Amino acid sequence: QVQLVESGGGSVQSGGSLRLSCVAYGHTYSTNYMAWFRQAPGKEREGVAVIDSDSRTNYADSVKGRFTISLDNAKNTLYLQMNSLKPEDTAMYYCAATPHVSLYRLLLQASSYNYWGQGTQVTVSS
């Protein structure tokens, strides 16, 4: 089992920055792929960014150039640096992990992930 605990959410104005953190506890060998998802009210959960155990990354088009995902293996901590935030980035952000993803195109699909954190709210005002 893996437990994921997020932190770092908050309220910022448009153009501002936030850094989210996610600490993994337990069987961290099951976290070969770690990702950030977000879900706004009334919308489906969408993949934002993913990083694998070889530090390869993939981003949703909507955040490319603004968000950076990174992993500190020594601390079992996943980060999401979010810059140039927009009101449309407002959502609950979730950390997720899984030992394996079968296809590249499934990297940012929520159904690929076994473990989830409780979420941290990000609100961006205009």
Side-chain angles (χ1 to χ4, degrees):
Q1 287 291 331
V2 175
Q3 294 81 44
L4 302 172
V5 180
E6 303 103 330
S7 62
S11 297
V12 295
Q13 290 192 329
S14 183
S17 298
L18 283 174
R19 188 177 80 156
L20 306 183
S21 300
C22 171
V23 180
Y25 300 94
H27 297 168
T28 56
Y29 55 78
S30 295
T31 58
N32 290 329
Y33 294 86
M34 296 193 74
W36 288 99
F37 287 78
R38 66 187 181 186
Q39 188 167 19
K43 295 189 177 182
E44 293 188 356
R45 191 168 297 191
E46 65 169 339
V48 174
V50 58
I51 187 168
D52 68 14
S53 55
D54 292 323
S55 297
R56 291 173 296 194
T57 59
N58 193 31
Y59 295 90
D61 288 343
S62 58
V63 306
K64 281 180 182 177
R66 300 188 298 122
F67 291 10
T68 303
I69 190 170
S70 61
L71 183 63
D72 185 334
N73 287 308
K75 297 181 179 180
N76 291 329
T77 301
L78 178 73
Y79 300 100
L80 184 69
Q81 178 66 44
M82 304 185 295
N83 298 328
S84 302
L85 282 162
K86 304 175 182 180
E88 51 263 44
D89 294 317
T90 295
M92 185 72 78
Y93 282 70
Y94 297 91
C95 172
T98 189
H100 178 68
V101 178
S102 58
L103 296 172
Y104 179 82
R105 63 179 175 86
L106 299 179
L107 283 173
L108 289 176
Q109 294 292 320
S111 58
S112 298
Y113 292 81
N114 304 98
Y115 305 105
W116 293 86
Q118 81 287 353
T120 187
Q121 178 68 37
V122 171
T123 302
V124 185
S125 58
S126 57

